[in-house]
């Protein structure tokens, strides 16, 4: 079962991350003073039905707002004057320092981040200290049982080395006033001292939680058993006589049960041999992890309150010194349930979602496309390709799609599957396709042997979309029924230019502020490689709306960029001679113009995903500036009005119904009490949480030149959760961002194909010592489609 983290038990505002590198196409000397600043909240929304909620935010009372944290830099060096940077040594030395020199430090307790920073409430007696600390370095040795027997099964023996001497220096660094937090809670804008103070509180709380994992001991000779709090390190050193070395500050293994944990240090454990280890979890492993860590709302509430109780934050001496106390009750907050958007499907029928979901039983797609020349191919999957084709045709006709019989069915040759690599298998399959068809098909159904992470997927998509310009749908069917086939057809119809459903307010458009003014909607996201992989390019994807005044049709533009770069580099990309813009935004502007009656956007709404609060100003003054330059490059002097919204899912806030055990209803919104005291933000749970506890999306409005009222903007965002064409359920975050995720993922598979290739498609540009290969461009006939659906 998932353990409640400190961040979840006590929700603190996001801490600033190190500023990312400025995009390579932005010159430092060209940076001007910020043109845009983050807007403040003017009012809150009122539409919708009220609902009583609880949030996993706990009240923090600051009774000594004039208290000041003093920061000291910690420098550790060994006897030979070499600097020591080990967290393990650092924590042991600081603990020993306090035990030995408490009187010289005026008895002050402190919080230590394990690296170079130490914090106290009020100053130490001096600005600089130098201490000598002696540590006895020892380790546990395993002796063999007998004659070459495995060492791990033998008896432990303790062996000590000679003591080591270290020099620890404490140097005054900065003052961090606690008052900045009080001012921030009142909405007073301040400098970075607020974030600095929050960082100190976070270090204190983490340290407190880490020093607690309970132990039962007998009380003297009376036989009574009582529970005491002790660290795992203390238990093994004091009670077991085992000195821990390298794992003293590492996470422990919990080999107990959910209600009776049993923690073991890593260095006392050994892995059974021949077990496979991978740095990144597979899709199935991640799914299993998520499945086993899911908790129903009431279970999660209990875990949160228990964690707060067990961590005993109010007993922390550093917090007590500045008179900070933490409440134990979840925050009561009033939310609103927005009205569910109505949909239009085929035959002019209305479709009213129930609990955030709908279906196409006895219904047709709004604009079904006719499919005449198509084929189906099978990469050695164990299935009846002919039966799948017949079932798909039957289901398609029930949904209004005129789907002819496939021109041919092609099975992969067995020797190809057994011997050839993925790219070669794809090429061999296309050799068969070309030989059996008089011309290219308009659509290919591809059956893969495995559902997730098939090595065929990337080469197949690249061949179809970049080389041939053919729409394709990959499937790996298990149980085939009408619902499965309908979901497949939702994707196929969207890729071929059809429309499955529209919002009732789209056609004819009655969307406030959008219906009379050409408006482009952008969804932007950057996908990074696995943690620890600094050599894998990041993938930037932007989708833009088409066919104004609709808000349900999109196309995507995708580029590679420097690894781990969060700001999008290729929004505006002029050629060296300044005559051509090869950037992302130009593509989207041109297609908007062509599909919207030769109208240019006068308003642009930007939905940005994946950025933290410390990067908001960069979104406004780097990315938005690039979008404007791309617009002006097309010969436009007037700049559109912008509304910029950041969407975040990577946060710890959870919402619960106060009077019911179920998840909050879809459409639940909160824009009071637990939101930012000054900035314009709100939480929205647009989707239905069927399993586990729903996590709302956290929306931050950075700029609103268009002038939406809170009701209009919140309703627009809610509606954009119902236009996701490949699903029959509201999504948890606006569809343009979901589409950007899909496009980045799908095009990113092309890079996996070329990772071990000597010649990669496209040009290769150098960024420092890291080569960033360009993505292959899509054929024109599929580039403007929803190929990513």
């Amino acid at each position: 079962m998932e353990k409640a983290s400190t961040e979840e038990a006590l929700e603190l505002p996001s801490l600033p991350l190190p500023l990312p590198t400025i995009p390579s196409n932005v010159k430092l000397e060209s940076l001007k003073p910020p043109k845009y600043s983050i807007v403040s909240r003017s009012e809150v929304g009122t539409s919708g039905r009220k609902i009583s909620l609880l949030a996993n935010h706990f009240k923090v009372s600051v009774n000594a707002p004039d208290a000041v944290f003093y920061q000291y830099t910690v420098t550790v060096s060994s006897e030979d004057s070499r600097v020591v940077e080990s967290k393990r040594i650092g924590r042991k030395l600081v603990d020993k320092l306090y035990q030995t020199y408490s009187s010289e430090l005026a008895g002050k307790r402190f919080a230590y981040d394990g690296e170079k920073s130490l914090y106290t409430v009020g100053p130490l007696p001096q600005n600089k200290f130098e201490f000598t600390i002696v540590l006895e370095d020892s380790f546990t040795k395993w002796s063999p049982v007998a004659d070459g027997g495995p060492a791990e099964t033998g008896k432990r023996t303790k062996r000590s080395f000679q003591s080591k001497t270290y020099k620890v220096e404490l140097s005054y660094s900065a003052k961090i006033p606690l008052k900045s937090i009080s001012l921030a809670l009142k909405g007073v804008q301040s400098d970075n001292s607020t974030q600095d103070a929050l960082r100190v509180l976070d270090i204190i709380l983490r340290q407190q939680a880490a020093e607690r994992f309970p132990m039962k001991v007998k009380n003297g000779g009376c036989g009574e058993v009582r529970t005491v709090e002790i660290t795992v390190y203390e238990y093994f050193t004091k009670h077991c006589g085992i000195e821990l070395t390298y794992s003293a500050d590492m996470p422990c293994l919990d080999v107990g049960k959910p209600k009776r944990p049993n923690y073991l240090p890593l260095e006392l454990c050994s892995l059974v041999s021949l077990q496979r280890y991978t740095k990144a979890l597979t899709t199935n492993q991640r799914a299993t992890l998520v499945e086993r860590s899911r908790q129903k709302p009431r279970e999660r509430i209990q875990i949160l309150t228990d964690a707060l109780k067990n961590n005993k934050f109010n007993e922390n001496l550093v917090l007590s010194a500045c008179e900070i106390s933490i409440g134990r009750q979840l925050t009561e907050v009033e939310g609103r349930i927005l009205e569910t958007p109505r949909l239009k499907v085929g035959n002019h029928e209305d479709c009213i979602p129930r609990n955030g979901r709908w279906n196409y039983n006895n219904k047709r797609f709004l604009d079904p496309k006719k499919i005449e020349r198509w084929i189906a191919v099978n990469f050695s999957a164990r299935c009846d390709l002919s039966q799948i084709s017949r079932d798909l045709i039957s289901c398609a006709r029930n949904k209004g799609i005129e789907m002819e019989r496939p021109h041919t069915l092609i099975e992969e040759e067995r020797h190809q599957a057994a011997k050839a690599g993925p790219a070669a298998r794809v090429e061999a399959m296309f050799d068969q396709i070309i030989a059996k068809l008089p011309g290219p098909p308009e659509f290919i159904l591809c059956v893969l042997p495995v559902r997730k992470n098939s090595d065929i997927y990337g080469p197949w998509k690249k061949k179809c979309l970049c080389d041939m310009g053919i729409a394709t749908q990959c499937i790996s069917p298990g149980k085939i029924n009408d619902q499965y086939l309908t979901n497949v057809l939702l994707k196929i119809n969207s890729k071929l230019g059809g429309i499955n459903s529209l919002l009732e307010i789209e056609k004819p458009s009655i969307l406030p502020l959008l219906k009379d003014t050409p408006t482009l909607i952008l969804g932007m996201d950057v996908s990074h490689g696995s943690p620890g992989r600094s050599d894998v390019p990041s993938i930037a994807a932007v989708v833009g709306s088409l066919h104004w005044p609709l808000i349900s049709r999109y196309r995507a533009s995708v580029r590679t960029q420097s690894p781990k770069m969060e700001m999008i580099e290729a929004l505006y990309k002029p050629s060296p001679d300044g005559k051509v813009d090869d950037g992302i935004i130009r593509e989207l502007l041109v297609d908007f113009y062509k599909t919207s009656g030769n109208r240019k956007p006068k308003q642009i709404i930007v939905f940005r995903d994946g950025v933290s609060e410390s990067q908001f100003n960069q979104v406004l003054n780097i990315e938005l500036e690039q979008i404007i330059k791309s617009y002006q490059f097309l010969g436009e002097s007037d700049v559109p009005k912008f509304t910029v919204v950041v969407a975040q899912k990577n946060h710890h806030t959870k919402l619960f119904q106060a009077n019911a055990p179920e998840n909050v209803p879809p459409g639940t919104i909160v824009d009071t009490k637990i939101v930012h005291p000054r900035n314009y933000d709100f939480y929205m749970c647009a989707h239905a949480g069927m399993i586990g506890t729903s996590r709302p999306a956290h929306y931050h409005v950075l700029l609103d030149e268009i002038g939406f009222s809170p009701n209009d903007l919140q309703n627009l965002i809610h509606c954009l959760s119902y236009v996701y064409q490949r699903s029959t359920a509201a999504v948890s975050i606006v569809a343009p961002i979901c589409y950007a995720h899909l496009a980045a993922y799908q095009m990113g598979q092309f890079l996996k194909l070329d990772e071990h290739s000597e010649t990669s498609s496209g040009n290769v540009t150098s960024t420092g010592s890291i080569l960033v290969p360009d993505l292959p461009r899509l054929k024109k006939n599929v580039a403007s489609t929803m190929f990513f659906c």
Side-chain angles (χ1 to χ4, degrees), residues 44 149 202 214 229 284 315 334 472 589 646 649 681:
V44 297
D202 189 55
E229 299 288 345
N284 290 335
E315 296 180 8
E334 185 180 83
T472 179
L589 288 172
V646 168
K649 287 286 286 184
D681 68 324

PDB file of all heavy atoms in Angstrom, residues 44 149 202 214 229 284 315 334 472 589 646 649 681:
ATOM      1  N   VAL A  44     -13.928  35.522  -8.197  1.00  0.00           N
ATOM      2  CA  VAL A  44     -14.023  34.064  -8.269  1.00  0.00           C
ATOM      3  C   VAL A  44     -15.284  33.684  -9.032  1.00  0.00           C
ATOM      4  O   VAL A  44     -16.174  34.494  -9.248  1.00  0.00           O
ATOM      5  CB  VAL A  44     -14.043  33.429  -6.863  1.00  0.00           C
ATOM      6  CG1 VAL A  44     -12.748  33.729  -6.130  1.00  0.00           C
ATOM      7  CG2 VAL A  44     -15.233  33.924  -6.050  1.00  0.00           C
ATOM      8  N   GLY A 149      31.236 -22.292   1.707  1.00  0.00           N
ATOM      9  CA  GLY A 149      29.805 -22.029   1.752  1.00  0.00           C
ATOM     10  C   GLY A 149      29.524 -20.570   1.522  1.00  0.00           C
ATOM     11  O   GLY A 149      30.407 -19.716   1.656  1.00  0.00           O
ATOM     12  N   ASP A 202      10.137  22.969   4.718  1.00  0.00           N
ATOM     13  CA  ASP A 202      10.100  21.653   4.083  1.00  0.00           C
ATOM     14  C   ASP A 202      11.230  20.773   4.604  1.00  0.00           C
ATOM     15  O   ASP A 202      11.041  19.585   4.880  1.00  0.00           O
ATOM     16  CB  ASP A 202      10.213  21.828   2.562  1.00  0.00           C
ATOM     17  CG  ASP A 202       9.954  20.525   1.819  1.00  0.00           C
ATOM     18  OD1 ASP A 202       8.898  19.934   2.037  1.00  0.00           O
ATOM     19  OD2 ASP A 202      10.823  20.108   1.035  1.00  0.00           O
ATOM     20  N   PRO A 214       8.185   3.373  14.486  1.00  0.00           N
ATOM     21  CA  PRO A 214       7.965   3.017  15.896  1.00  0.00           C
ATOM     22  C   PRO A 214       8.588   1.677  16.248  1.00  0.00           C
ATOM     23  O   PRO A 214       8.706   0.810  15.415  1.00  0.00           O
ATOM     24  CB  PRO A 214       6.449   2.952  16.011  1.00  0.00           C
ATOM     25  CG  PRO A 214       5.986   2.658  14.639  1.00  0.00           C
ATOM     26  CD  PRO A 214       6.974   3.259  13.713  1.00  0.00           C
ATOM     27  N   GLU A 229       9.573   5.988  19.641  1.00  0.00           N
ATOM     28  CA  GLU A 229       9.995   6.370  18.306  1.00  0.00           C
ATOM     29  C   GLU A 229      11.510   6.272  18.218  1.00  0.00           C
ATOM     30  O   GLU A 229      12.233   6.766  19.086  1.00  0.00           O
ATOM     31  CB  GLU A 229       9.547   7.802  17.988  1.00  0.00           C
ATOM     32  CG  GLU A 229       8.049   8.026  18.017  1.00  0.00           C
ATOM     33  CD  GLU A 229       7.338   7.387  16.850  1.00  0.00           C
ATOM     34  OE1 GLU A 229       8.024   7.012  15.888  1.00  0.00           O
ATOM     35  OE2 GLU A 229       6.101   7.276  16.902  1.00  0.00           O
ATOM     36  N   ASN A 284       3.638  -1.996 -18.141  1.00  0.00           N
ATOM     37  CA  ASN A 284       2.914  -2.937 -17.278  1.00  0.00           C
ATOM     38  C   ASN A 284       3.342  -2.824 -15.826  1.00  0.00           C
ATOM     39  O   ASN A 284       2.514  -2.926 -14.913  1.00  0.00           O
ATOM     40  CB  ASN A 284       3.132  -4.374 -17.768  1.00  0.00           C
ATOM     41  CG  ASN A 284       2.423  -4.647 -19.082  1.00  0.00           C
ATOM     42  OD1 ASN A 284       1.439  -3.988 -19.405  1.00  0.00           O
ATOM     43  ND2 ASN A 284       2.920  -5.606 -19.842  1.00  0.00           N
ATOM     44  N   GLU A 315       5.870  18.408  17.888  1.00  0.00           N
ATOM     45  CA  GLU A 315       6.880  18.158  18.904  1.00  0.00           C
ATOM     46  C   GLU A 315       8.275  18.528  18.416  1.00  0.00           C
ATOM     47  O   GLU A 315       9.247  18.406  19.165  1.00  0.00           O
ATOM     48  CB  GLU A 315       6.857  16.683  19.318  1.00  0.00           C
ATOM     49  CG  GLU A 315       5.553  16.260  19.997  1.00  0.00           C
ATOM     50  CD  GLU A 315       5.575  14.798  20.398  1.00  0.00           C
ATOM     51  OE1 GLU A 315       6.658  14.164  20.292  1.00  0.00           O
ATOM     52  OE2 GLU A 315       4.522  14.282  20.797  1.00  0.00           O
ATOM     53  N   GLU A 334     -15.582  25.013   0.198  1.00  0.00           N
ATOM     54  CA  GLU A 334     -16.791  24.942  -0.623  1.00  0.00           C
ATOM     55  C   GLU A 334     -16.418  24.891  -2.092  1.00  0.00           C
ATOM     56  O   GLU A 334     -15.683  25.729  -2.591  1.00  0.00           O
ATOM     57  CB  GLU A 334     -17.685  26.155  -0.371  1.00  0.00           C
ATOM     58  CG  GLU A 334     -19.018  26.090  -1.100  1.00  0.00           C
ATOM     59  CD  GLU A 334     -19.889  27.313  -0.834  1.00  0.00           C
ATOM     60  OE1 GLU A 334     -19.689  28.343  -1.517  1.00  0.00           O
ATOM     61  OE2 GLU A 334     -20.760  27.231   0.045  1.00  0.00           O
ATOM     62  N   THR A 472      -2.779   5.041 -40.240  1.00  0.00           N
ATOM     63  CA  THR A 472      -2.737   3.666 -39.746  1.00  0.00           C
ATOM     64  C   THR A 472      -3.244   3.599 -38.321  1.00  0.00           C
ATOM     65  O   THR A 472      -3.120   4.560 -37.552  1.00  0.00           O
ATOM     66  CB  THR A 472      -1.292   3.120 -39.815  1.00  0.00           C
ATOM     67  OG1 THR A 472      -1.274   1.783 -39.315  1.00  0.00           O
ATOM     68  CG2 THR A 472      -0.347   3.958 -38.982  1.00  0.00           C
ATOM     69  N   LEU A 589      -0.338  28.294 -37.569  1.00  0.00           N
ATOM     70  CA  LEU A 589      -1.027  29.502 -38.035  1.00  0.00           C
ATOM     71  C   LEU A 589      -1.509  29.342 -39.472  1.00  0.00           C
ATOM     72  O   LEU A 589      -2.631  29.739 -39.821  1.00  0.00           O
ATOM     73  CB  LEU A 589      -0.090  30.714 -37.927  1.00  0.00           C
ATOM     74  CG  LEU A 589       0.222  31.228 -36.518  1.00  0.00           C
ATOM     75  CD1 LEU A 589       1.318  32.289 -36.571  1.00  0.00           C
ATOM     76  CD2 LEU A 589      -1.027  31.799 -35.865  1.00  0.00           C
ATOM     77  N   VAL A 646      -1.544  27.707 -17.511  1.00  0.00           N
ATOM     78  CA  VAL A 646      -0.688  26.551 -17.229  1.00  0.00           C
ATOM     79  C   VAL A 646      -1.526  25.499 -16.515  1.00  0.00           C
ATOM     80  O   VAL A 646      -2.281  25.804 -15.592  1.00  0.00           O
ATOM     81  CB  VAL A 646       0.512  26.958 -16.349  1.00  0.00           C
ATOM     82  CG1 VAL A 646       1.238  25.719 -15.821  1.00  0.00           C
ATOM     83  CG2 VAL A 646       1.477  27.825 -17.144  1.00  0.00           C
ATOM     84  N   LYS A 649      -0.638  18.626 -13.266  1.00  0.00           N
ATOM     85  CA  LYS A 649      -1.180  17.415 -12.630  1.00  0.00           C
ATOM     86  C   LYS A 649      -0.211  16.854 -11.590  1.00  0.00           C
ATOM     87  O   LYS A 649      -0.586  16.033 -10.754  1.00  0.00           O
ATOM     88  CB  LYS A 649      -1.443  16.343 -13.694  1.00  0.00           C
ATOM     89  CG  LYS A 649      -2.650  16.629 -14.564  1.00  0.00           C
ATOM     90  CD  LYS A 649      -3.954  16.381 -13.826  1.00  0.00           C
ATOM     91  CE  LYS A 649      -4.232  14.906 -13.657  1.00  0.00           C
ATOM     92  NZ  LYS A 649      -5.523  14.634 -13.026  1.00  0.00           N
ATOM     93  N   ASP A 681      -5.617  31.163  -9.813  1.00  0.00           N
ATOM     94  CA  ASP A 681      -5.533  29.727 -10.032  1.00  0.00           C
ATOM     95  C   ASP A 681      -6.787  29.050  -9.501  1.00  0.00           C
ATOM     96  O   ASP A 681      -7.537  29.634  -8.727  1.00  0.00           O
ATOM     97  CB  ASP A 681      -4.278  29.127  -9.380  1.00  0.00           C
ATOM     98  CG  ASP A 681      -4.339  29.179  -7.859  1.00  0.00           C
ATOM     99  OD1 ASP A 681      -4.876  30.161  -7.324  1.00  0.00           O
ATOM    100  OD2 ASP A 681      -3.847  28.245  -7.198  1.00  0.00           O
TER     101      ASP A 681
END
